[in-house]
Amino acid sequence: MTREQRKPGGRGPSGPPPRPKTPRTPPAKDPARQAAFDTLRAITERDAYANLALPALLAERRISGRDAALATELCYGTARAVGLLDTVIAACADRPLSTLDTAVLDGLRLGAYQLLRTRIPPHAAVSSTVDLIRAEAGSRSSGFVNAVLRKIADKDEPAWLDELAPADKIEALALRTAHPKWIARAFGAALGDGGAELEAALRADDERPSVHLTARPGEISADELAAISAGEPAPYSPYGVRLSSGDPGELEPVRERLAHVQDEGSQLCALALHRAELDQDGGHWLDLCAGPGGKAALLGALAGTEGARLDAVEQSAKRAGLVRQACEGLPVTVHVADGRDPGLEPGYDRVLVDAPCTGLGALRRRPEARWRRDPSDVSELTQLQRELLGTALGLVRPGGVVAYVVCSPHLPETVGVVADALRRNPGVSALDSRELFPGVPDLGPGPYVQLWPHRHGTDAMFCAVLRRGDAE
């Protein structure tokens, strides 16, 4: 009998045929880098959001602890620094980046980030990236990646920046802080500064933001929420709590809808509308762009403590469902409609216009966002913003107030939209919004308010509060 015939189950005169093996996908040799790379691929190919795609992938692959922390650092860091990384890669590659396969370019970015912005040993950064590319795109591409990364490893980030930074001061700062040039210029124009404060504002986008919670008025105090969550009461919002770590979704007050995640800047803008004095408040309030429901929930809770009611308008049926969920149990009626023509009768006492915008004020929370927006987006958005604000001013009663809010410091979206509204509506006046942000420093010359991450620890929210005259 042969050796094969002597094996258990082997093919012999009377033995059964061998059972075929079930193919198994081997586990990734480097789960952290593989997860970061796959998320970068999703961002590039499917316009995924890193803060949604990566946590889902980590959970699916059961990656936790140090591997999860490394994957998060590599993915978010690479996504933020794309412009800087591409500049260095282009200096070391023998072909235009536009000709590269997207998987190869994403791999190069991931490797370059490790070389320039982490303490990972160069040989580990290069070899791990080459392994990823070999598995994804083949040995020929991996050889190219190996050669480029070895060139990048010859210098550290400061040396590359000294070599590649343009002569223009703001453009050089944009490269050093990994921002598109147009965003750096937009921030500089809003700040009135192209030097130290602009650099502070741009660098704040790369700092990991704390999680902010809102305690639901009438249900739980900020002090109680801070004690339960091991957080700290927020410095400016009477309902705010800031967390340094942890998953807010695991907190009992959040699960029971006694609190929700909301940047303190957003809280302050909603509160500004509530704080504005009226000759009388009939309790008829409106949130014209309510999705996904954070400001509507805060205003709805305040309405509940005062016997008022809030209408919340959201064009997307899916997002309207989120508003209903956020406002469950509150005196809030949700309308699925276009905020430009919601089909509502005029006569509201208070109207919030939290308008769609470029989102340049929340870049620190969305690592890939700075590279997705383009100056050409602004014109369409400002047209929408003007129309929404015009509708709000038509729905508010004489003597009532409208708060125009965007998460952006970009002047065309902020003072430009408000100036257009004032020009078109001579009976409307701007309040000094700074008075509606008590205790908040460094609010500028007014009458509008611009918050900043580097000044206030909030998103860069803009707020203008307008009053419609008694007669127009």
Side-chain angles (χ1 to χ4, degrees), residues 3 21 50 116 122 127 147 151 172 174 197 206 238 258 264 269 277 295 345 347 352-353 365 392 398 407 431 448:
R3 182 185 302 173
K21 294 181 179 180
L116 299 176
S127 63
K151 288 183 181 179
E197 189 171 19
D206 285 339
L258 300 177
E264 187 180 2
C269 291
E277 292 187 5
K295 295 183 182 67
E345 292 297 320
L352 173 67
V353 183
R365 300 189 186 277
C407 187
L431 304 183
Y448 315 128

Short mmCIF file of all heavy atoms in Angstrom, two decimals, residues 3 21 50 116 122 127 147 151 172 174 197 206 238 258 264 269 277 295 345 347 352-353 365 392 398 407 431 448:
data_model
loop_
_atom_site.label_atom_id
_atom_site.label_comp_id
_atom_site.label_asym_id
_atom_site.label_seq_id
_atom_site.Cartn_x
_atom_site.Cartn_y
_atom_site.Cartn_z
N ARG A 3 2.05 5.33 0.44
CA ARG A 3 1.92 6.27 1.55
C ARG A 3 0.58 7.00 1.47
O ARG A 3 -0.07 7.23 2.48
CB ARG A 3 3.07 7.27 1.50
CG ARG A 3 3.04 8.25 2.64
CD ARG A 3 4.13 9.29 2.49
NE ARG A 3 5.44 8.66 2.43
CZ ARG A 3 6.57 9.32 2.16
NH1 ARG A 3 6.50 10.63 1.93
NH2 ARG A 3 7.73 8.71 2.11
N LYS A 21 -11.15 20.73 0.63
CA LYS A 21 -10.96 21.73 1.66
C LYS A 21 -11.77 22.98 1.35
O LYS A 21 -11.87 23.40 0.21
CB LYS A 21 -9.47 22.11 1.77
CG LYS A 21 -8.60 20.98 2.25
CD LYS A 21 -7.16 21.46 2.37
CE LYS A 21 -6.28 20.33 2.89
NZ LYS A 21 -4.86 20.78 3.00
N ALA A 50 -14.72 59.00 6.49
CA ALA A 50 -13.84 58.22 7.34
C ALA A 50 -14.44 57.95 8.71
O ALA A 50 -14.33 56.85 9.25
CB ALA A 50 -12.49 58.93 7.50
N LEU A 116 6.50 60.58 7.34
CA LEU A 116 6.64 62.01 7.62
C LEU A 116 6.02 62.45 8.94
O LEU A 116 6.48 63.42 9.54
CB LEU A 116 6.02 62.82 6.48
CG LEU A 116 6.64 62.63 5.09
CD1 LEU A 116 5.86 63.42 4.05
CD2 LEU A 116 8.10 63.04 5.09
N PRO A 122 11.22 53.78 9.55
CA PRO A 122 11.06 53.84 8.09
C PRO A 122 10.97 52.47 7.43
O PRO A 122 10.16 52.28 6.52
CB PRO A 122 12.32 54.60 7.64
CG PRO A 122 12.66 55.47 8.82
CD PRO A 122 12.30 54.66 10.03
N SER A 127 8.06 48.67 4.18
CA SER A 127 7.77 47.26 3.92
C SER A 127 6.29 46.94 4.07
O SER A 127 5.72 46.18 3.26
CB SER A 127 8.60 46.36 4.84
OG SER A 127 8.26 46.58 6.20
N ALA A 147 10.25 52.17 -4.43
CA ALA A 147 11.24 53.16 -4.85
C ALA A 147 10.84 54.58 -4.42
O ALA A 147 11.67 55.35 -3.93
CB ALA A 147 11.40 53.11 -6.37
N LYS A 151 12.69 57.18 -1.46
CA LYS A 151 13.11 58.56 -1.71
C LYS A 151 12.51 59.50 -0.66
O LYS A 151 13.18 60.40 -0.16
CB LYS A 151 12.67 58.99 -3.11
CG LYS A 151 13.45 58.36 -4.25
CD LYS A 151 12.97 58.91 -5.58
CE LYS A 151 13.71 58.27 -6.74
NZ LYS A 151 13.23 58.78 -8.05
N ALA A 172 2.38 78.88 1.33
CA ALA A 172 3.34 78.07 2.09
C ALA A 172 2.71 77.56 3.38
O ALA A 172 2.90 76.40 3.78
CB ALA A 172 4.59 78.89 2.40
N ALA A 174 -0.47 77.05 3.85
CA ALA A 174 -1.45 76.04 3.46
C ALA A 174 -0.77 74.68 3.29
O ALA A 174 -1.28 73.65 3.74
CB ALA A 174 -2.14 76.45 2.16
N GLU A 197 -2.24 84.08 13.74
CA GLU A 197 -3.57 83.57 14.08
C GLU A 197 -4.11 82.68 12.97
O GLU A 197 -4.78 81.68 13.24
CB GLU A 197 -4.57 84.70 14.37
CG GLU A 197 -5.85 84.09 14.93
CD GLU A 197 -6.85 85.10 15.45
OE1 GLU A 197 -6.75 86.28 15.08
OE2 GLU A 197 -7.72 84.69 16.22
N ASP A 206 -6.25 70.11 12.75
CA ASP A 206 -5.57 68.82 12.89
C ASP A 206 -5.57 68.30 14.33
O ASP A 206 -5.05 67.23 14.60
CB ASP A 206 -4.13 68.93 12.40
CG ASP A 206 -4.05 68.98 10.88
OD1 ASP A 206 -5.02 68.54 10.23
OD2 ASP A 206 -3.04 69.45 10.34
N PRO A 238 -24.83 76.71 28.89
CA PRO A 238 -25.35 76.21 30.17
C PRO A 238 -25.84 74.78 30.10
O PRO A 238 -26.10 74.17 31.14
CB PRO A 238 -26.49 77.18 30.48
CG PRO A 238 -26.92 77.70 29.15
CD PRO A 238 -25.66 77.79 28.33
N LEU A 258 -31.84 61.81 27.14
CA LEU A 258 -31.75 62.94 28.05
C LEU A 258 -30.62 63.88 27.62
O LEU A 258 -30.49 64.98 28.16
CB LEU A 258 -31.49 62.46 29.48
CG LEU A 258 -32.55 61.53 30.08
CD1 LEU A 258 -32.13 61.09 31.46
CD2 LEU A 258 -33.90 62.22 30.12
N GLU A 264 -20.58 72.45 21.01
CA GLU A 264 -21.01 73.56 21.85
C GLU A 264 -21.32 74.81 21.02
O GLU A 264 -22.21 75.59 21.36
CB GLU A 264 -19.94 73.89 22.89
CG GLU A 264 -20.39 74.92 23.90
CD GLU A 264 -19.34 75.25 24.95
OE1 GLU A 264 -18.21 74.71 24.88
OE2 GLU A 264 -19.64 76.08 25.84
N CYS A 269 -25.47 78.82 19.12
CA CYS A 269 -26.21 79.49 18.05
C CYS A 269 -27.72 79.30 18.23
O CYS A 269 -28.51 80.23 18.00
CB CYS A 269 -25.76 78.98 16.69
SG CYS A 269 -24.06 79.48 16.26
N GLU A 277 -34.55 89.10 22.57
CA GLU A 277 -35.74 89.65 23.19
C GLU A 277 -36.83 89.94 22.15
O GLU A 277 -36.55 90.40 21.04
CB GLU A 277 -35.39 90.93 23.94
CG GLU A 277 -34.52 90.71 25.17
CD GLU A 277 -34.33 91.97 25.98
OE1 GLU A 277 -34.95 93.00 25.61
OE2 GLU A 277 -33.56 91.94 26.95
N LYS A 295 -30.18 70.88 16.66
CA LYS A 295 -30.69 72.19 17.11
C LYS A 295 -32.19 72.13 17.34
O LYS A 295 -32.71 72.79 18.25
CB LYS A 295 -30.33 73.27 16.09
CG LYS A 295 -28.83 73.53 15.96
CD LYS A 295 -28.56 74.66 15.00
CE LYS A 295 -27.06 74.90 14.81
NZ LYS A 295 -26.38 73.77 14.13
N GLU A 345 -47.62 78.91 6.91
CA GLU A 345 -48.17 80.25 7.00
C GLU A 345 -47.22 81.16 7.78
O GLU A 345 -46.61 80.75 8.76
CB GLU A 345 -49.53 80.23 7.69
CG GLU A 345 -50.63 79.55 6.90
CD GLU A 345 -50.92 80.27 5.58
OE1 GLU A 345 -50.93 81.53 5.60
OE2 GLU A 345 -51.14 79.59 4.57
N GLY A 347 -45.91 84.21 10.35
CA GLY A 347 -46.34 84.57 11.69
C GLY A 347 -45.50 83.98 12.80
O GLY A 347 -45.89 84.03 13.96
N LEU A 352 -35.12 79.73 12.90
CA LEU A 352 -33.72 79.34 12.75
C LEU A 352 -33.47 78.89 11.32
O LEU A 352 -34.21 78.07 10.78
CB LEU A 352 -33.37 78.20 13.71
CG LEU A 352 -31.97 77.58 13.54
CD1 LEU A 352 -30.88 78.59 13.92
CD2 LEU A 352 -31.83 76.32 14.39
N VAL A 353 -32.43 79.45 10.70
CA VAL A 353 -31.98 79.01 9.37
C VAL A 353 -30.57 78.46 9.53
O VAL A 353 -29.59 79.20 9.49
CB VAL A 353 -32.00 80.16 8.34
CG1 VAL A 353 -31.60 79.62 6.96
CG2 VAL A 353 -33.36 80.83 8.29
N ARG A 365 -13.44 67.60 12.42
CA ARG A 365 -14.28 66.43 12.67
C ARG A 365 -14.43 65.55 11.44
O ARG A 365 -14.90 64.41 11.55
CB ARG A 365 -15.66 66.86 13.16
CG ARG A 365 -15.62 67.67 14.45
CD ARG A 365 -17.00 67.88 15.03
NE ARG A 365 -16.96 68.77 16.19
CZ ARG A 365 -16.66 68.39 17.42
NH1 ARG A 365 -16.37 67.12 17.65
NH2 ARG A 365 -16.64 69.26 18.42
N ALA A 392 -37.17 82.65 5.27
CA ALA A 392 -37.31 82.82 6.72
C ALA A 392 -37.80 84.21 7.07
O ALA A 392 -38.68 84.39 7.93
CB ALA A 392 -35.98 82.54 7.41
N PRO A 398 -43.74 90.48 12.03
CA PRO A 398 -43.12 91.76 12.36
C PRO A 398 -42.73 91.80 13.83
O PRO A 398 -43.51 91.44 14.71
CB PRO A 398 -44.25 92.77 12.06
CG PRO A 398 -45.07 92.10 11.02
CD PRO A 398 -45.05 90.64 11.36
N CYS A 407 -21.99 76.57 9.47
CA CYS A 407 -20.76 76.04 10.06
C CYS A 407 -19.60 76.33 9.10
O CYS A 407 -19.03 75.43 8.49
CB CYS A 407 -20.89 74.55 10.32
SG CYS A 407 -19.48 73.85 11.22
N LEU A 431 -29.29 92.57 14.77
CA LEU A 431 -29.01 92.76 16.19
C LEU A 431 -27.52 92.56 16.44
O LEU A 431 -26.83 91.95 15.63
CB LEU A 431 -29.81 91.76 17.03
CG LEU A 431 -31.33 91.74 16.85
CD1 LEU A 431 -31.95 90.75 17.83
CD2 LEU A 431 -31.92 93.13 17.05
N TYR A 448 -22.10 90.53 14.08
CA TYR A 448 -22.28 89.10 13.96
C TYR A 448 -21.26 88.37 14.83
O TYR A 448 -20.30 88.97 15.33
CB TYR A 448 -22.16 88.66 12.50
CG TYR A 448 -22.92 89.56 11.55
CD1 TYR A 448 -22.30 90.12 10.43
CD2 TYR A 448 -24.26 89.86 11.78
CE1 TYR A 448 -23.00 90.95 9.57
CE2 TYR A 448 -24.96 90.70 10.92
CZ TYR A 448 -24.33 91.24 9.82
OH TYR A 448 -25.02 92.07 8.97
#
